[in-house]
Amino acid sequence: QVQLVESGGGLVQAGGSLRLSCAASGRTFSSYAMGWFRQAPGKEREFVAAIWWSSTYYADSVKGRFTISRDNAKNTVYLQMNSLKPEDTAVYYCAARGGGLIYTTPSEYDDWGQGTQVTVSS
């Protein structure tokens, strides 16, 4: 089991940028597949981005605007969010599981952070 702590959320105007961080416990971070999800009020949790080693995958809604990356030496995964839109407003969660593939559904992940709020004003 890995513990995850997100940070970096906040309030930003449309067109602005934020970088989310997710710090993970554990000595085998490099072996984890990592993902970012988000959940807006009244909506289901949805996939945003995932990374396994150097392979990445994005939801169509964020492709070209968001970038997922990881620093295995720091046990941290990042989500750089540019050109933010009001519809990006949500609680953002990072998730982890034993690696091997890119995973895009919440049920495929074992461990979750507490979430960080991102609010984009118009």
Side-chain angles (χ1 to χ4, degrees):
Q1 186 175 6
V2 60
Q3 294 182 333
L4 304 170
V5 179
E6 301 99 333
S7 61
L11 173 64
V12 63
Q13 288 188 333
S17 299
L18 283 174
R19 188 177 81 154
L20 305 183
S21 300
C22 174
S25 65
R27 289 176 286 182
T28 58
F29 176 75
S30 61
S31 68
Y32 298 142
M34 302 296 295
W36 284 98
F37 292 79
R38 65 187 182 187
Q39 189 165 18
K43 295 188 176 182
E44 293 187 353
R45 193 165 298 189
E46 66 172 359
F47 170 75
V48 175
I51 187 167
W52 164 241
W53 283 104
S54 59
S55 297
T56 59
Y57 189 75
Y58 299 91
D60 288 343
S61 59
V62 306
K63 200 173 297 182
R65 300 188 298 123
F66 290 11
T67 302
I68 188 171
S69 62
R70 67 192 297 165
D71 185 337
N72 291 333
K74 295 182 179 180
N75 280 17
T76 301
V77 63
Y78 303 98
L79 185 68
Q80 178 67 44
M81 306 185 294
N82 299 329
S83 302
L84 282 161
K85 304 175 182 180
E87 51 263 44
D88 294 318
T89 295
V91 177
Y92 283 71
Y93 299 89
C94 71
R97 63 156 289 156
L101 293 171
I102 292 286
Y103 302 96
T104 62
T105 60
S107 62
E108 293 178 302
Y109 286 85
D110 298 318
D111 299 294
W112 293 84
Q114 82 289 349
T116 185
Q117 176 70 46
V118 171
T119 303
V120 184
S121 63
S122 57

